[in-house]
Amino acid sequence: MYSLIVLHGIFLACAYSGGSNLNSIPRKIIQYEDDHVIMFKEEGVWNYSTMLIREDLGLLVLGAREAIYALDINDISVAKSKVPWKVTEEKQKECTSKGKHPDIDCRNYVRMLHQMNDSLMYVCGTNAFSPTCDYITYSDGQLKLEGKQEDGRGKCPFDPFQRSSSVMVDQDLYSATTLNFLGSEPVILRLSPFPLRTVFKSSWLNEPNFVYMDVVQESEDSPEGDDDKVYMFFSENAVEYDFYNKLVVSRVARVCKGDMGGQRTLQRKWTSFLKTRLDCSVPEPSLPYIIQDVFHVRHKKWRKSVFYAVFTSQSSSTDRSSAVCAYNVTDISEVFSRGKFKTEVTVEMSDVKWVMYNGELPVPRPGACINNAAKSAGIMRSLDLPDKTLQFIRDHPLMDDAVRPITGKPLLLKRGALLTRLVVDDVTAPDGQSYPVMFIGTENGCVQKAVNYDGEMHIIEEVKLFQNAAPIDVLRLHQNQLYAGSASGVVQMPVSSCSRYFSCVDCVLARDPYCAWDVTVQRCSRVPTSPEKSKGHLIQSLKDGDATRCPSTAPVEPKIQTLVLGNNIRLLCHPDSNLAQVTWNFAGKPLPYSNRKYTISNEGILIYNASTTDAGRYTCMSVERVKGRDYTQTLAIYDLCEQSAAVGTDKIKTTLGILFESYTTSSGLHKPEEPPSYSKNLSSERKWIVMQVVLAVLSVMMACLLIWNLYMGHISPFMCCGRQSIKSPRNLPEREYMHTGNDYVDGKQQMARPCVTTNSGLEVTSFHRNITNGDTPTDIFILKNITEESEI
């Protein structure tokens, strides 16, 4: 019972106001398309999970399974060079004999790539559970392994699917991985003239899962003469909480770059290693979220640098969710430099509990870097630290305080597919402010672009990068290009595609820092690098989403649709935004969603068992609410024409009427436009057409009578050359009639298609032809043969 109370009091997050707003959805979802990304993959090669950007060489160096590639950084589909790095047959057999899979585990997975200098790179691979490192060069357009293989234990993991992290600082390699085949001996290691490592003790590292590490230049402009720090992010089993099962928590740790170990205590061990819990509380009560990836947004002044981190739930419930939290470097540094320590105490039958240490601390402060105060006391390096300080830090590496996010809550909370990786780009908008735009990879092969506006998280879009829904394993950002790697391939995409927004309102409501509506060219364009120069020509409103400055647009022209009695009719309407609500009006009145005759979705409306009462005008509108304002747009208008119900009318009369109408239209005669309420006036208009048809039929009959008299000799055949046989109606040739008119589809002028009635025994087919070289668009209607003479 005590365990549950402690767990509930410490780990379960309390709900706070505004939490429901954190569950954001993307405004646009871009499905997978081959034409909006550049992709690289090679047949038979997998796990493209390691990247190194070499801007000086114009390369993206890519590490995969048993291969290293040099790709053109501007077009990764161009592979400039490849070097294979396969395991030997002997190594593969040795790996298999230890119970590993020969085709999955016993291969060489490139897991680490670092630049040493302008000409040399350092690469490490798992090498069939026998980690190996080597040096690689690029010259004359070719990659080359130097063949100077080194032991990779402590630098690269044995298991290709185990997380690890590393960073190169001033030619010194810092790595966080495992030291043995079983993966049971974790280590944070530095390879330098003074190699150091962590103590193999559960209070230091307890089954960790390493995620990320990077250096912060804290020695710059430091009045205390502080040292640079290397920060590590990982998750591990908590030792400080009493729980019936293993409880995983997220951690941040750090060491001093100038650490040289202790003289007698902690020899060749870190004397500055400290760690603390990283908090990312969500509104709902849950177990702590587990860190998955981190990105360091560097600033010229290191105190303004920020770490962005992705977390996922560890709960076994079906409601899987992820969160993104941001942390100031100064907040993390404050916990380590001034926070309280935790200590072990023995209570209740020798059970070990972790409580806050309230005793007196040794001097210098345990875990602190060698600063001006220490040097004034004669301690010039960590080798000079007293044993009392070293013994304390050996037994008390854990801090009592947790690091809280900048906003006190997650920037983003997302349910559904779990988030895996992220990168952040700092974008300067036309308003002169900088906005951090996050690109977040998911487990189903998508990337979400999101930005936080004064505590409001806005997901601009979600783009599906991989057709096979492979998890995003690595993300890199360079010069407005995003690179994403997975098990199946690598994708390159631009950070923005402003051409996706077709209208000013859609462009402004997207609230994309990269995009703005250019008034001069009337399109959504990329914001220039110096937005102040074209500020007056751009319309953008990021925080407020104010689209009232947008110019008015031309009205949407209706599309004519035929109503076939008894059929199901679908009217398409796609909103520009997932955040917009779609409404339909019929004959000027709102269409109720509860009506069982209709099914309304984001794809459009489906009318079941259409009847004459369904004829009329349908208007599709979207309403998007942003910052208390409603923006209504008319997306589509349909005029649904009722099909003729006059089945008993002579079919040839109906056909000739259509031909007559086509003829008058093609001849330039005026055809009155049908008003919105044309369905009510349709019968009277048909009467007028029938009268014209009757006259046409009488004319035809008179012509036939004249021909018959000529044939029988009742009239002198002075105008004929001889007898001619009259073909039966069954053998009448097909006739073509031209029809012109106007209609609008998606805002573009197209040919008009009248509501054509087709009955049994008569088939009328319409073909559409667009002529763009100055000709008039036409419709060709072909009257096919009448199959029964009795119909004449």
Side-chain angles (χ1 to χ4, degrees):
M1 185 65 182
Y2 175 75
S3 302
L4 295 177
I5 293 175
V6 172
L7 178 66
H8 186 272
I10 299 179
F11 285 117
L12 297 186
C14 298
Y16 43 79
S17 60
S20 59
N21 296 329
L22 296 175
N23 190 22
S24 305
I25 62 173
R27 185 177 183 272
K28 281 186 182 288
I29 295 180
I30 312 301
Q31 297 298 332
Y32 175 80
E33 297 174 357
D34 293 330
D35 57 352
H36 73 252
V37 296
I38 302 173
M39 189 168 188
F40 171 81
K41 62 179 178 180
E42 185 176 350
E43 191 69 26
V45 180
W46 307 94
N47 293 84
Y48 304 86
S49 57
T50 307
M51 292 182 185
L52 174 63
I53 292 177
R54 290 296 305 270
E55 185 177 3
D56 55 334
L57 301 176
L59 296 178
L60 175 70
V61 184
L62 178 66
R65 191 177 76 172
E66 301 195 325
I68 306 170
Y69 300 91
L71 308 180
D72 187 339
I73 199 169
N74 298 314
D75 185 355
I76 64 170
S77 64
V78 178
K80 294 187 174 181
S81 180
K82 172 191 174 182
V83 55
W85 195 15
K86 297 186 177 182
V87 297
T88 62
E89 186 177 350
E90 179 184 357
K91 282 289 184 184
Q92 194 170 30
K93 288 182 178 179
E94 180 184 344
C95 175
T96 306
S97 66
K98 295 179 181 179
K100 301 300 180 181
H101 196 284
D103 292 327
I104 298 179
D105 302 316
C106 301
R107 297 294 187 97
N108 188 24
Y109 293 78
V110 177
R111 293 297 309 276
M112 189 176 73
L113 272 169
H114 289 296
Q115 181 178 351
M116 302 282 295
N117 50 48
D118 293 341
S119 60
L120 205 62
M121 292 172 281
Y122 196 62
V123 58
C124 295
T126 58
N127 196 33
F129 271 75
S130 179
T132 304
C133 299
D134 203 342
Y135 296 89
I136 188 170
T137 59
Y138 181 81
S139 60
D140 299 327
Q142 296 295 321
L143 284 175
K144 181 183 177 182
L145 276 172
E146 294 297 300
K148 302 176 182 178
Q149 294 192 357
E150 300 177 353
D151 187 359
R153 288 180 298 176
K155 310 172 189 176
C156 176
F158 286 74
D159 189 337
F161 305 106
Q162 187 179 48
R163 293 291 300 271
S164 64
S165 60
S166 60
V167 64
M168 191 73 71
V169 182
D170 298 336
Q171 304 297 313
D172 294 339
L173 178 66
Y174 292 75
S175 63
T177 183
T178 56
L179 278 174
N180 60 345
F181 181 90
L182 298 176
S184 58
E185 189 175 349
V187 65
I188 296 176
L189 181 70
R190 183 184 70 190
L191 294 176
S192 69
F194 297 93
L196 296 179
R197 53 161 294 179
T198 49
V199 176
F200 185 56
K201 192 176 180 181
S202 62
S203 59
W204 282 54
L205 296 171
N206 189 20
E207 300 182 34
N209 189 26
F210 298 108
V211 168
Y212 179 84
M213 63 168 52
D214 202 4
V215 62
V216 178
Q217 310 290 340
E218 296 188 23
S219 62
E220 295 182 3
D221 300 325
S222 174
E224 299 85 8
D226 208 349
D227 194 9
D228 294 340
K229 312 283 196 320
V230 176
Y231 287 89
M232 307 95 171
F233 295 84
F234 57 96
S235 60
E236 66 172 352
N237 293 333
V239 296
E240 66 267 35
Y241 301 109
D242 183 15
F243 194 48
Y244 68 91
N245 200 357
K246 291 181 179 179
L247 187 65
V248 182
V249 295
S250 301
R251 303 282 198 204
V252 56
R254 67 110 168 107
V255 293
C256 302
K257 190 178 74 171
D259 197 340
M260 301 172 64
Q263 185 68 39
R264 292 174 295 275
T265 305
L266 294 180
Q267 291 183 3
R268 297 189 177 181
K269 304 294 190 300
W270 295 106
T271 64
S272 56
F273 178 82
L274 294 173
K275 67 177 182 178
T276 190
R277 185 166 60 87
L278 205 59
D279 184 31
C280 186
S281 298
V282 298
E284 302 85 2
S286 66
L287 295 174
Y289 275 39
I290 306 307
I291 193 167
Q292 301 297 329
D293 194 31
V294 177
F295 186 81
H296 182 197
V297 178
R298 296 177 178 84
H299 197 275
K300 293 180 180 179
K301 297 180 179 180
W302 67 266
R303 291 176 178 85
K304 295 183 179 180
S305 298
V306 178
F307 287 108
Y308 289 81
V310 169
F311 295 80
T312 58
S313 60
Q314 64 174 314
S315 175
S316 58
S317 65
T318 57
D319 184 20
R320 303 194 308 166
S321 56
S322 308
V324 176
C325 285
Y327 305 90
N328 273 327
V329 170
T330 52
D331 292 339
I332 301 175
S333 180
E334 186 73 13
V335 171
F336 290 131
S337 60
R338 292 180 173 83
K340 295 283 188 178
F341 289 85
K342 277 190 177 295
T343 186
E344 293 178 280
V345 295
T346 303
V347 295
E348 298 179 3
M349 304 297 295
S350 300
D351 287 342
V352 175
K353 305 291 183 184
W354 285 81
V355 298
M356 185 176 66
Y357 180 79
N358 288 317
E360 185 178 353
L361 293 177
V363 179
R365 179 183 169 90
C369 300
I370 306 301
N371 53 19
N372 294 337
K375 292 177 181 178
S376 63
I379 302 173
M380 309 302 294
R381 52 185 184 168
S382 63
L383 292 171
D384 300 330
L385 289 171
D387 287 344
K388 190 174 182 181
T389 296
L390 298 177
Q391 290 169 358
F392 185 93
I393 200 62
R394 181 189 60 190
D395 300 329
H396 305 82
L398 180 61
M399 308 303 297
D400 182 69
D401 298 328
V403 180
R404 298 278 297 167
I406 296 174
T407 58
K409 60 184 179 182
L411 295 175
L412 170 66
L413 180 62
K414 184 74 171 60
R415 290 177 175 84
L418 296 179
L419 307 180
T420 58
R421 302 290 186 272
L422 91 161
V423 292
V424 183
D425 190 16
D426 205 24
V427 183
T428 302
D431 60 7
Q433 296 191 32
S434 295
Y435 298 94
V437 181
M438 298 182 289
F439 297 88
I440 313 168
T442 68
E443 65 177 353
N444 59 352
C446 298
V447 166
Q448 294 183 352
K449 180 165 68 171
V451 62
N452 190 277
Y453 295 121
D454 294 336
E456 176 202 1
M457 176 52 65
H458 176 61
I459 302 181
I460 300 169
E461 63 184 10
E462 177 181 277
V463 183
K464 187 173 179 59
L465 297 183
F466 295 95
Q467 190 172 13
N468 59 354
I472 305 293
D473 292 328
V474 58
L475 278 178
R476 292 291 184 269
L477 189 65
H478 177 69
Q479 289 186 353
N480 299 321
Q481 294 293 316
L482 184 69
Y483 307 91
S486 72
S488 58
V490 183
V491 164
Q492 173 188 353
M493 63 169 282
V495 294
S496 65
S497 296
C498 303
S499 58
R500 291 195 183 113
Y501 310 112
F502 299 105
S503 67
C504 177
V505 173
D506 190 26
C507 180
V508 174
L509 295 186
R511 302 168 70 188
D512 189 336
Y514 296 102
C515 302
W517 184 261
D518 193 326
V519 179
T520 56
V521 296
Q522 291 296 304
R523 67 168 178 260
C524 196
S525 305
R526 178 69 189 268
V527 174
T529 54
S530 300
E532 295 81 7
K533 296 180 180 180
S534 56
K535 197 179 219 180
H537 303 291
L538 300 178
I539 300 177
Q540 187 187 67
S541 179
L542 300 179
K543 292 183 179 180
D544 299 328
D546 185 4
T548 56
R549 292 176 54 200
C550 285
S552 58
T553 58
V556 177
E557 293 293 333
K559 306 173 186 178
I560 299 178
Q561 190 94 354
T562 304
L563 186 151
V564 182
L565 296 178
N567 282 11
N568 297 335
I569 300 175
R570 181 181 295 276
L571 304 178
L572 299 179
C573 180
H574 300 278
D576 294 330
S577 168
N578 292 328
L579 305 179
Q581 292 184 349
V582 176
T583 60
W584 283 85
N585 286 350
F586 173 58
K589 296 181 180 180
L591 199 64
Y593 279 73
S594 59
N595 196 328
R596 294 185 178 181
K597 188 173 181 61
Y598 309 102
T599 295
I600 301 175
S601 66
N602 284 337
E603 299 297 322
I605 184 174
L606 182 62
I607 306 173
Y608 296 100
N609 192 20
S611 63
T612 57
T613 59
D614 295 319
R617 171 160 291 186
Y618 291 81
T619 304
C620 176
M621 296 181 296
S622 70
V623 180
E624 187 168 359
R625 188 172 183 81
V626 180
K627 293 292 186 179
R629 293 189 184 96
D630 289 337
Y631 296 94
T632 303
Q633 299 184 77
T634 301
L635 304 179
I637 300 176
Y638 291 93
D639 283 341
L640 196 57
C641 290
E642 178 188 349
Q643 188 182 34
S644 177
V647 178
T649 306
D650 192 355
K651 298 175 182 178
I652 188 65
K653 292 181 180 180
T654 306
T655 305
L656 291 174
I658 295 172
L659 296 176
F660 180 80
E661 181 183 6
S662 177
Y663 172 76
T664 57
T665 305
S666 61
S667 301
L669 298 179
H670 176 68
K671 176 186 175 183
E673 293 185 0
E674 294 172 330
S677 59
Y678 67 90
S679 60
K680 298 180 181 179
N681 302 324
L682 200 57
S683 58
S684 59
E685 184 177 347
R686 282 178 181 152
K687 292 179 181 178
W688 179 79
I689 295 176
V690 169
M691 291 175 62
Q692 297 184 64
V693 169
V694 171
L695 291 175
V697 170
L698 291 175
S699 300
V700 172
M701 291 175 64
M702 292 296 293
C704 290
L705 182 61
L706 175 64
I707 294 173
W708 182 80
N709 281 289
L710 286 172
Y711 178 79
M712 297 300 295
H714 297 162
I715 299 177
S716 176
F718 62 90
M719 297 181 64
C720 301
C721 299
R723 284 193 174 187
Q724 297 181 8
S725 60
I726 303 301
K727 296 182 180 180
S728 66
R730 187 183 305 275
N731 299 320
L732 285 175
E734 294 183 350
R735 303 177 62 189
E736 296 184 358
Y737 289 84
M738 305 299 291
H739 172 78
T740 63
N742 294 327
D743 192 13
Y744 289 81
V745 178
D746 294 334
K748 297 181 180 179
Q749 190 170 4
Q750 305 286 346
M751 58 83 195
R753 301 188 178 186
C755 298
V756 180
T757 303
T758 60
N759 299 309
S760 60
L762 179 65
E763 182 178 355
V764 179
T765 307
S766 171
F767 293 88
H768 174 54
R769 178 163 61 99
N770 283 327
I771 304 175
T772 58
N773 296 326
D775 298 331
T776 303
T778 63
D779 270 354
I780 302 176
F781 288 85
I782 299 176
L783 173 62
K784 293 192 174 178
N785 297 337
I786 303 173
T787 58
E788 295 182 9
E789 295 180 355
S790 61
E791 294 178 350
I792 300 179

